[in-house]
């Protein structure tokens, strides 16, 4: 049974997205370790790690390499996604772990190359001799060439699905699943329900700003409590002058809009400015003309 698991044919090929996710997880782990390490020096003088930053980063990456690739044939991101490295240079079809030479070269290419790139400018910036300037120029040219080769390798990876990085292709190490992947049972009923709900929610988010909620509320309130048999006489108008049809309080600077109801000046003016098609919430009349109330109400009516 163990031989069947170790057989290469029994292992499903690793998806491209899984390999890229493993690379992103590795970068996130390195940033997390570096941030945790630098937080230990917040109480020291600022810039205490600036002169040794490339070396410190290389040392931390060396520790990560020791406990991941060297001991388990997989990076942290690969271990999370059930992926490990396989020696693709072996002639057998069964799984073969990485050799010590491949692990050491992996360390040199990843950690040593990054350290040399970060430290290159400091190594040759203080030397003005022509030989050092040539070496610096050659290193810059080599760095650009490696980045170009990395881009070409990435395009080939997108087509073939193997060797996500240039280091993997040079060393002949390939990503494979540590254990056979089982077939996932996907319930499409739940997914369809979620898609329909998200579509309906997006439709509501688009529709709600187009609805005048205040006008709709006033319209519904006028339907629920209709006023029938209104008279335009002075007594009827005086009776409605005791209450603003919007705020329900004694009208301040009472105004009319052409119907028997009275409004506070600020209430009707603010609503009319907000909605030019404003209608009376009591009878549904439109605003024809905003006029101050001409009838005088005696203060005795307050005690009636």
């Amino acid at each position: 049974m163990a031989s069947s698991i170790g057989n290469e044919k029994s292992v499903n090929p690793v998806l491209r997205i899984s390999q890229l996710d493993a690379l992103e997880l590795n970068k996130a782990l390195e940033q997390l370790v570096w941030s945790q390490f630098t937080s230990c020096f917040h109480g020291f003088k600022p810039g205490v790690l600036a002169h040794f930053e490339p070396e410190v980063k290389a040392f931390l990456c060396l520790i990560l390499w020791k406990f991941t690739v060297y001991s388990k044939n997989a990076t942290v991101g690969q271990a999370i996604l059930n992926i490990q490295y396989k020696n693709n240079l072996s002639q057998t079809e069964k799984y073969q772990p990485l050799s010590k030479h491949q692990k050491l070269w992996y360390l040199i290419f990843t950690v040593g190359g990054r350290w040399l790139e970060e430290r290159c400018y400091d190594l040759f910036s203080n030397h003005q001799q022509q030989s050092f300037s040539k070496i610096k120029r050659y290193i810059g040219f080599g760095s650009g060439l490696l980045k170009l080769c990395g881009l070409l390798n990435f395009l080939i990876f997108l087509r073939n699905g193997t060797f996500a990085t240039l280091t993997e292709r040079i060393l002949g190490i390939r990503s494979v699943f540590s254990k056979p992947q089982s077939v996932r049972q996907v319930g499409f009923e739940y997914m369809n329900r979620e898609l329909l709900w998200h579509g309906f929610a997006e439709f509501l988010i688009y529709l709600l700003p187009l609805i005048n909620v205040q006008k709709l509320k006033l319209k519904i309130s006028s339907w629920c409590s209709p006023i029938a048999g209104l008279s335009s006489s002075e007594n009827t108008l005086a009776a409605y002058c005791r209450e603003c049809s919007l705020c329900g309080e004694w009208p301040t600077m009472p105004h009319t809009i052409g119907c028997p109801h009275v409004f506070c000046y600020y209430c009707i003016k603010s609503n009319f400015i907000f909605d030019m098609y404003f209608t009376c919430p009591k009878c549904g009349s439109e605003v024809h003309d905003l006029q101050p109330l001409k009838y005088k109400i005696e203060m005795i009516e307050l005690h009636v």
Side-chain angles (χ1 to χ4, degrees), residues 38-102:
T38 54
S39 64
C40 301
F41 295 87
H42 283 172
F44 291 83
K45 182 179 179 180
V48 66
L49 294 177
H51 299 289
F52 309 101
E53 182 174 344
E55 287 75 18
V56 174
K57 286 185 176 180
F59 178 73
L60 295 177
C61 292
L62 175 62
I63 296 177
L64 292 177
W65 169 85
K66 176 63 174 63
F67 293 101
T68 55
V69 178
Y70 186 80
S71 59
K72 298 181 180 179
N73 294 308
T75 62
V76 176
Q78 290 177 331
I80 295 175
L81 299 176
N82 190 29
I83 302 173
Q84 63 181 358
Y85 278 133
K86 172 188 177 297
N87 187 358
N88 202 49
L89 300 179
S90 61
Q91 301 299 328
T92 60
E93 295 181 354
K94 295 182 179 180
Y95 172 79
Q96 292 291 332
L98 302 182
S99 63
K100 290 186 178 181
H101 294 287
Q102 287 177 319

Side-chain angles (χ1 to χ4, degrees), residues 1-7 10 180:
M1 180 177 180
S3 61
S4 62
I5 294 177
N7 197 323
S10 64

